[in-house]
């Protein structure tokens, strides 16, 4: 099969793009012809943050337009509106989060909701997203494949490493996105520092020039670390502190688990996929976010409990599928669809119509007027697909 | 499964107590006026952790004979006398509860009580219908949340202390309107029921951000004068707000499911039982 993935940005490090690369590379390895279609500027050289990018065909829009895809996946939600430009037998959507939650703007939220308005082939990694999609599009094909944990980049340790004092805490995430909860994490660490000795690091794809200080000492920053080196950073720390408010399924806590550490994380969507409070990590709801300080003090004082959590975490990572397993499941699902002659190419005009919706058809209240063209269009599709 | 958890709560808290707890053997002891028989039954159950609703009441102060860790769940503002008595008992070592949870940031007068955490609300999500009825578009509004000059036709929900009646009264609807002079509070059960049923909640006020509910993704905030237009659009059945309703349905299960919340509390109550303040700078929770 010729399989395509539409990406808007390949240059920057994100967990979402990492999953795209792993699936693309894995499908290629299984004998498929895979194209990663870069909607923005095609880089002259493959970015170096992910070694597998050098083995993938990154193609421009102009080149991809000449292709006839068997399966073409949108990825980041805005790439949904580009699907119509390409010919494909199956139009799919690799949906890893409810991305309207990233945007405060009502118009963007509304546009994001449009991406669930057609019965595409949906691929997702999260149980909650699978449920969301099935409730949004009861007749759509939905394939859920758990994201893998790369054995190559995150070789699992057999047991937690011996603990050190002070407690070593790693914060992870890019600066500049309030829903990542980074400012809150550093504030909690700064306050906790008066109570427990801490050594703090920050793993980030983008620090934005920020230099956080905890307890008067600068935080050690690991910025734009190639994925092949990230596990070395995790191994330097005992605890990952991650207080983001929006996730599909957390990736970094599982990566931390694979390197023998535990995590204190927000009880956010998808956290229930593999994180169990008191078994492999500590979870906090937002109302009790400051409790992280108390947990840090506890872990700093109680090395036995810290070790218990780390042992649970190592076991969780041991049970997580490798990417080859995950992509194998995706491959099997695609093969089954093809064997059943699944074809949703007739959606292409509808995809084009929705793409046009982006351009200036909104009032202050960004919902469609029933009598307007978008309202009539949605009504037609809703009555035929739900 | 070795953990044993008891819930000592009046029947009106029925929907806040988990019926099923895969993580523990649990039992609910519904108390009436005299807590005696239920306290005796709970004692025989030999719980590791007991959650006591209305812990500052006269009955709640009598739970000392129950073995294990006792956690008081404070769900509404106690009277000054009740709070003063609880603090006095705790200071003198006569308190019977190891921990308290509070429905919002506790008042300064409660600062000496051992706070396990904030529990704004819980809802036993197992009792809610699945799948949600996302195509319903009839409109309800609680009698206590109705603005003057309501611009849309809506069924008035009478005040009702019985959660079961409230849930039944609410369930036929698809949209809940709610007017408030202040930010919304989770301790009004109609709000959590509506969200948990996948109803479209439209209010003139947001929830405080720390509640974790996401404005515009899980409920809508609009001036009253715009309510009619939003309701009309939802009634047209275009589905543009279906995502909001699905996420509301999911979020209640993610954040407020009683089984999830009490699992974390039970763990922490045991883990932190010897972890009183060890430093004057340590946060109390």
């Amino acid at each position: 099969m010729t399989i395509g993935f539409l990406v808007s940005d390949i240059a920057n490090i994100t967990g979402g793009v990492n999953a795209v690369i792993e699936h693309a590379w894995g499908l290629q390895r299984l004998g498929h012809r895979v194209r990663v279609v870069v909607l923005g500027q095609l880089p002259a050289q493959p970015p170096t943050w992910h070694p597998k990018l050098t083995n993938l065909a990154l193609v421009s829009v102009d080149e991809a337009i000449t292709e006839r895809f068997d399966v073409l996946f949108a990825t980041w939600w805005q790439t949904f509106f580009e699907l119509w430009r390409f010919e494909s037998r199956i139009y799919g959507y690799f949906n890893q989060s409810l991305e309207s939650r990233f945007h405060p703007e009502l118009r963007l939220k509304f546009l994001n909701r449009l991406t669930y308005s057609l019965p595409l082939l949906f691929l997702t990694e999260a149980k909650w997203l699978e449920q969301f999609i099935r409730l949004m599009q009861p007749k759509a094909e939905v394939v859920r494949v758990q994201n893998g944990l790369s054995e190559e980049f995150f070789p699992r340790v057999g047991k937690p490493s011996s603990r050190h004092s002070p407690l070593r805490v790693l914060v992870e995430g890019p600066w500049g996105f309030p829903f990542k909860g980074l400012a809150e994490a550093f504030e909690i660490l700064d306050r906790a520092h008066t109570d427990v000795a801490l050594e703090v690091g920050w793993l980030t794809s983008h620090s934005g020039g920020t230099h956080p200080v905890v307890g008067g000492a600068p935080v050690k920053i690991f910025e734009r670390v190639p994925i092949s080196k990230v596990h070395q950073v995790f191994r330097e720390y005992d605890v990952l502190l991650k207080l983001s408010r929006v996730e599909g399924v957390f990736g970094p806590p599982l990566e931390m688990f694979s390197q023998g550490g535990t995590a204190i994380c927000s009880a956010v969507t998808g956290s229930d996929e593999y994180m169990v409070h008191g078994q492999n990590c500590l979870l906090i709801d937002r109302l009790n976010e400051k409790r992280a300080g108390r947990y840090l003090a506890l872990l700093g004082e109680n090395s036995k409990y810290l070790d218990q959590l780390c042992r649970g975490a190592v076991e969780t990572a041991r049970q997580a599928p490798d990417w080859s397993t995950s992509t194998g499941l995706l491959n099997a699902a695609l093969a089954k669809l093809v064997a059943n002659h699944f074809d949703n190419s007739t959606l292409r005009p509808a995809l084009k119509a929705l793409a046009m919706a982006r351009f200036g058809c909104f009032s202050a209240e960004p919902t469609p007027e029933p009598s307007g063209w978008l309202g009539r269009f949605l009504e037609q599709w809703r009555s035929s697909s739900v | 499964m070795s953990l044993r958890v008891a819930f000592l709560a009046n029947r009106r808290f029925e929907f806040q107590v988990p019926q099923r707890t895969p993580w523990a053997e649990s039992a609910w002891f519904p108390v009436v006026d005299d807590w005696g028989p239920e306290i005796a039954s709970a004692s025989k159950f030999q719980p590791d952790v007991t959650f006591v609703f209305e812990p500052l009441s006269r009955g709640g102060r009598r739970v000392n004979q129950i073995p294990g860790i006792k956690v008081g769940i404070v769900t509404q503002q106690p009277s000054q006398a009740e709070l003063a008595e609880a603090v006095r008992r705790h200071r003198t070592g006569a308190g019977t509860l190891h921990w308290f949870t509070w429905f919002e940031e506790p008042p300064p007068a409660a600062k000496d009580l051992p706070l396990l955490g904030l529990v704004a609300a819980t809802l036993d999500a197992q009792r809610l219908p699945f799948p949600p009825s996302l195509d319903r578009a009839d409109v309800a509004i609680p009698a206590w949340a109705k603005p003057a000059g309501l611009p849309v036709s809506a069924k008035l929900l009478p005040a009702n202390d019985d959660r079961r009646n409230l849930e039944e009264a609410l369930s036929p609807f698809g949209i809940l309107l709610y007017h408030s002079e202040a930010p919304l509070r989770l301790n009004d059960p109609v709000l959590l029921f509506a969200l948990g049923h996948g109803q479209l909640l439209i209010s003139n006020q947001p929830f405080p951000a720390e509640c974790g509910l996401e404005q515009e993704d899980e409920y809508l905030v609009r001036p009253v004068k715009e309510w009619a237009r939003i309701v009309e659009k939802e009634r047209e059945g275009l589905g543009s707000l279906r995502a909001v309703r699905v996420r509301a349905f999911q979020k209640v299960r993610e954040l407020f499911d009683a089984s999830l919340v009490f699992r974390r509390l039970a763990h922490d109550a045991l883990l932190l039982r010897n972890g009183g303040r060890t430093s004057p700078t340590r946060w109390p929770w």
Side-chain angles (χ1 to χ4, degrees):
Chain A
M1 283 190 272
T2 298
I3 301 171
F5 291 88
L6 301 185
V7 297
S8 55
D9 175 19
I10 202 82
N12 289 303
I13 303 170
T14 69
V17 173
N18 176 54
V20 172
I21 293 167
E22 290 287 358
H23 273 319
W25 188 85
L27 289 167
Q28 182 172 276
R29 201 171 175 216
L30 290 169
H32 299 292
R33 186 167 173 270
V34 176
R35 295 286 179 267
V36 176
V37 184
V38 181
L39 296 171
Q41 184 72 35
L42 190 64
Q45 297 294 327
T48 55
W49 68 271
H50 201 302
K52 288 178 178 170
L53 277 171
T54 55
N55 295 320
L56 283 169
L58 306 182
V59 301
S60 66
V61 170
D62 288 345
E63 189 179 344
I65 280 173
T66 64
E67 294 275 357
R68 293 185 66 182
F69 292 99
D70 293 293
V71 187
L72 180 61
F73 286 104
T75 59
W76 169 246
W77 72 275
Q78 291 178 350
T79 67
F80 165 91
F81 295 104
E82 309 297 333
L83 278 170
W84 68 275
R85 299 168 72 177
F86 309 96
E87 186 176 353
S88 182
R89 183 149 55 108
I90 299 175
Y91 289 101
Y93 185 4
F94 183 17
N95 188 208
Q96 298 188 69
S97 192
L98 179 53
E99 289 146 348
S100 73
R101 301 167 76 195
F102 296 167
H103 304 289
E105 301 91 340
L106 297 189
R107 180 176 178 273
L108 295 180
K109 287 182 185 298
F110 170 67
L111 282 176
N112 178 271
R113 284 174 202 144
L114 289 182
T115 67
Y116 299 98
S117 59
L118 295 176
L120 300 179
L121 163 63
F122 285 89
L123 166 64
T124 186
E125 89 290 19
K127 288 176 191 157
W128 72 272
L129 271 169
E130 179 186 17
Q131 182 188 60
F132 177 85
I133 294 162
R134 289 190 189 281
L135 288 169
M136 291 295 291
Q137 277 292 336
K139 290 190 176 172
E141 286 287 341
V142 186
V143 175
R144 183 174 65 81
V145 175
Q146 190 179 345
N147 278 352
L149 174 65
S150 170
E151 186 61 44
E152 180 183 355
F153 301 137
F154 298 95
R156 296 155 173 82
V157 299
K159 60 179 184 178
S161 58
S162 55
R163 299 293 137 198
H164 301 275
S165 185
L167 186 70
R168 302 165 303 178
V169 184
L170 184 67
V171 178
E172 188 277 339
W175 192 257
F177 301 92
F179 64 85
K180 290 289 184 185
L182 286 174
E184 291 81 358
F186 287 122
E187 184 189 339
I188 284 168
L189 285 163
D190 195 43
R191 293 189 67 170
H193 197 274
T194 59
D195 218 35
V196 58
L198 298 172
E199 187 181 305
V200 181
W202 179 22
L203 175 64
T204 181
S205 58
H206 173 68
S207 69
T210 306
H211 298 282
V213 172
V214 170
V219 168
K220 187 175 180 182
I221 298 176
F222 305 89
E223 188 166 7
R224 294 190 66 82
V225 179
I227 196 163
S228 55
K229 307 278 186 196
V230 167
H231 73 279
Q232 295 171 3
V233 178
F234 282 128
R235 280 191 192 177
E236 287 185 35
Y237 292 87
D238 305 309
V239 183
L240 176 73
L241 177 63
K242 194 158 171 66
L243 301 179
S244 48
R245 282 83 192 249
V246 181
E247 291 288 345
V249 174
F250 277 131
L254 186 60
E255 292 162 0
M256 182 65 167
F257 290 2
S258 74
Q259 303 310 306
T262 182
I264 299 172
C265 293
S266 41
V268 70
T269 42
S271 60
D272 59 340
E273 298 266 349
Y274 63 88
M275 304 182 78
V276 183
H277 183 72
Q279 187 170 306
N280 54 22
C281 69
L282 292 166
L283 292 169
I284 321 168
D285 59 75
R286 187 152 176 209
L287 207 55
N288 290 288
E289 204 167 68
K290 291 175 184 170
R291 197 190 296 173
R294 189 172 184 171
Y295 287 153
L296 288 167
L298 175 81
L299 296 179
E301 293 166 359
N302 190 341
S303 60
K304 190 176 168 190
Y305 184 67
L306 173 62
D307 189 57
Q308 180 187 319
L309 290 182
C310 290
R311 277 187 280 116
V314 166
E315 177 58 21
T316 301
R318 193 185 65 76
Q319 293 176 9
D322 187 14
W323 271 110
S324 62
T325 305
S326 295
T327 305
L329 292 171
L330 172 57
N331 184 52
L334 295 179
K336 189 175 171 187
L337 287 169
V338 169
N340 290 337
H341 307 290
F342 181 79
D343 183 330
N344 65 9
S345 58
T346 55
L347 292 176
R348 193 173 181 187
L351 286 164
K352 182 177 182 180
L354 286 177
M356 297 304 115
R358 285 177 299 171
F359 305 116
C361 62
F362 301 106
S363 61
E365 175 58 49
T367 53
E369 295 295 338
S371 57
W373 75 268
L374 184 56
R376 292 196 306 274
F377 173 85
L378 289 174
E379 192 170 19
Q380 176 198 324
W381 273 101
R382 212 169 127 65
S383 60
S384 62
S385 64
V386 176
Chain B
M1 186 189 306
S2 57
L3 189 65
R4 294 170 72 83
V5 175
F7 295 91
L8 211 57
N10 187 286
R11 283 204 181 276
R12 67 192 171 86
F13 295 108
E14 178 182 355
F15 281 86
Q16 289 161 264
V17 172
Q19 267 183 331
R20 280 183 286 164
T21 51
W23 46 274
E25 188 176 341
S26 68
W28 172 37
F29 301 94
V31 296
V32 285
D33 293 340
D34 179 8
W35 289 43
E38 292 77 27
I39 289 174
S41 299
S43 301
K44 283 184 194 159
F45 181 66
Q46 294 282 308
D48 300 295
V49 181
T50 300
F51 292 104
V52 183
F53 286 64
E54 298 181 300
L56 306 184
S57 68
R58 185 182 297 273
R61 295 199 294 264
R62 294 164 50 201
V63 297
N64 53 324
Q65 64 178 277
I66 303 174
I69 301 287
K70 270 88 69 178
V71 183
I73 309 293
V74 179
T75 59
Q76 59 185 10
Q77 199 63 48
S79 69
Q80 285 190 341
E82 285 175 328
L83 183 53
E85 173 63 8
V87 172
R88 185 194 68 75
R89 288 166 63 88
H90 183 72
R91 280 183 183 152
T92 59
T96 56
L97 295 155
H98 299 86
W99 295 107
F100 290 86
T101 72
W102 223 266
F103 64 99
E104 61 184 13
E105 198 69 41
K111 70 177 170 51
D112 286 342
L113 294 178
L115 184 68
L116 186 60
L118 302 184
V119 178
T122 61
L123 186 60
D124 188 16
Q126 299 287 337
R127 298 172 193 240
L128 298 179
F130 180 88
S133 301
L134 298 169
D135 293 322
R136 287 182 184 156
D138 288 338
V139 186
I141 188 164
W144 60 95
K146 182 174 178 288
L150 179 67
V152 60
S153 172
K155 175 86 173 177
L156 205 62
L157 296 175
N160 198 325
D161 276 347
D162 188 316
R163 304 287 166 97
R164 186 178 290 273
N165 290 345
L166 175 62
E167 205 250 346
E168 283 175 7
L170 189 62
S171 58
F173 299 95
I175 301 171
L176 185 80
L177 305 175
Y178 195 102
H179 180 265
S180 175
E181 296 298 331
L184 301 183
R185 299 173 75 183
L186 286 166
N187 63 351
D188 187 340
V190 76
L191 294 171
L192 223 51
F193 272 132
L195 295 166
H197 275 263
Q199 296 181 353
L200 180 64
L201 171 63
I202 308 172
S203 179
N204 62 317
Q205 291 279 354
F207 288 98
E210 61 269 23
C211 289
L213 287 158
E214 295 167 59
Q215 187 178 325
E216 301 303 326
D217 279 300
E218 290 152 3
Y219 69 103
L220 303 184
V221 179
R222 297 287 188 283
V224 172
K225 65 183 180 184
E226 291 183 19
W227 287 4
R229 198 158 60 93
I230 299 287
V231 166
E232 191 55 37
K233 285 184 176 178
E234 185 62 4
R235 280 182 168 159
E236 289 287 341
L238 299 181
S240 63
L241 297 171
R242 189 180 180 93
V244 179
R245 295 175 65 163
V246 175
R247 275 305 299 153
F249 166 84
Q250 292 187 309
K251 191 55 156 298
V252 165
R253 285 151 181 80
E254 290 163 9
L255 286 190
F256 306 112
D257 177 58
S259 177
L260 286 176
V261 171
F262 284 110
R263 179 181 192 168
R264 287 204 293 269
L265 288 174
H267 171 271
D268 285 5
L270 290 165
L271 177 69
L272 302 169
R273 64 185 181 276
N274 297 319
R277 292 187 118 191
T278 56
S279 155
T281 58
R282 176 169 295 180
W283 290 335
W285 52 281

